[in-house]
Amino acid sequence: STPEETLARARQLRAAAGAPADPSSQDMAVMAKAGAMEAAALQQLSEERAASNSCATGNNVPPSLRSFDRMA
């Protein structure tokens, strides 16, 4: 599955688990796991977009090292 699909699924799970007015401990555990899934999917999306942007611009130097790159 893609990060987008994982993100959508995680959000759906979290919403369903949080739907009861008084969530059980199992509901809370599902919400926590879904939150971790969501965070991992967002991280993966961020990394993919960053890689795509650096390839598109031809700039593979991390921002923290760009000043060193200019000094050479």
Side-chain angles (χ1 to χ4, degrees):
S1 66
T2 66
E4 291 87 355
E5 292 168 339
T6 301
L7 184 59
R9 180 74 177 142
R11 288 178 174 166
Q12 182 182 22
L13 285 170
R14 194 166 44 121
D22 186 19
S24 68
S25 60
Q26 186 174 1
D27 290 330
M28 299 295 278
V30 169
M31 287 191 317
K33 190 163 198 150
M37 280 175 55
E38 184 176 359
L42 287 170
Q43 178 67 32
Q44 188 174 358
L45 275 172
S46 176
E47 289 171 2
E48 286 178 4
R49 288 180 180 151
S52 174
N53 287 341
S54 68
C55 289
T57 61
N59 187 357
N60 294 325
V61 178
S64 60
L65 299 178
R66 287 190 186 140
S67 61
F68 294 111
D69 189 44
R70 284 187 221 124
M71 297 171 101

